[in-house]
């Protein structure tokens, strides 16, 4: 299930208001147990194939990063926000991809205007730290 894909969609070909229930890829009515098939039959359900084209707009941040980063790379799953700024603590193995990660986070979170990565630990009594701009406005 993608973030912006509704599991029940209207059938554009049926003026009577029939709807499609979209199943996860690889799941088919053939995989339902007998009890489920019987219940769906009693409701008058029929089966057909509906093709859905997935696009960047339908994917959430994690799904996009899993497709963009090398296989097996653990994608960043969280970040802190202060107002319109997202603050990340990227691991060293993700640093080569930091600009792409920043851009995806910026595009997938419309309230954000800036994405930064912390470069070092707190340095002074004033609790300042060195940050790198990854995406957005400084």
């Amino acid at each position: 299930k993608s973030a912006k894909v509704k599991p029940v969609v209207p059938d554009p070909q049926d003026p009577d208001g029939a709807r499609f229930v979209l199943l996860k890829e690889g799941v088919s009515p053939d995989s339902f147990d007998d009890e489920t098939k019987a219940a769906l039959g009693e409701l008058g359900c029929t089966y057909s194939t509906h093709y859905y084209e997935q696009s960047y707009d339908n994917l959430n941040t994690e799904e996009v990063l899993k497709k963009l980063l090398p296989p097996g790379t653990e994608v960043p799953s969280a970040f802190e926000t202060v107002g319109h700024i997202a603050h990340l603590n990227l691991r060293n193995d993700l640093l080569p991809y930091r600009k792409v990660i920043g851009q995806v986070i910026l595009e997938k979170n419309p309230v954000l205007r800036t994405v930064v990565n912390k470069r070092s630990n707190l340095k002074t009594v004033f609790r300042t730290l060195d940050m790198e701009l990854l995406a957005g406005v400084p």
Side-chain angles (χ1 to χ4, degrees):
K1 178 180 185 268
S2 285
K4 296 180 184 178
V5 177
K6 296 184 182 206
V8 179
V9 296
D11 179 352
Q13 313 261 326
D14 187 347
D16 295 329
R19 293 172 286 171
F20 286 114
V21 176
L22 302 179
L23 302 176
K24 184 177 178 180
E25 188 174 1
V27 175
S28 74
D30 296 332
S31 64
F32 296 164
D33 60 41
D34 291 337
E35 185 179 338
T36 302
K37 287 179 186 178
L40 291 173
E42 288 175 22
L43 293 171
C45 294
T46 59
Y47 308 106
S48 67
T49 302
H50 176 76
Y51 293 98
Y52 170 77
E53 188 172 323
Q54 200 169 38
S55 71
Y56 181 81
D57 293 335
N58 301 108
L59 300 173
N60 64 33
T61 304
E62 183 179 355
E63 291 168 329
V64 171
L65 291 175
K66 281 183 178 179
K67 290 184 180 294
L68 291 176
L69 298 177
T73 303
E74 188 175 329
V75 300
S77 59
F79 53 87
E80 297 290 327
T81 59
V82 178
H84 64 271
I85 300 170
H87 165 250
L88 288 81
N89 291 317
L90 293 177
R91 297 181 318 274
N92 287 339
D93 61 317
L94 292 175
L95 291 178
Y97 315 106
R98 65 189 179 274
K99 297 288 185 174
V100 170
I101 293 168
Q103 190 62 41
V104 169
I105 289 172
L106 184 68
E107 290 174 1
K108 291 295 183 178
N109 296 274
V111 297
L112 297 178
R113 292 190 0 217
T114 304
V115 180
V116 296
N117 183 45
K118 183 173 108 173
R119 284 186 173 176
S120 62
N121 293 328
L122 297 174
K123 292 182 182 179
T124 68
V125 71
F126 298 108
R127 299 183 53 85
T128 60
L129 55 115
D130 191 21
M131 290 191 227
E132 174 187 20
L133 177 68
L134 299 181
V137 295

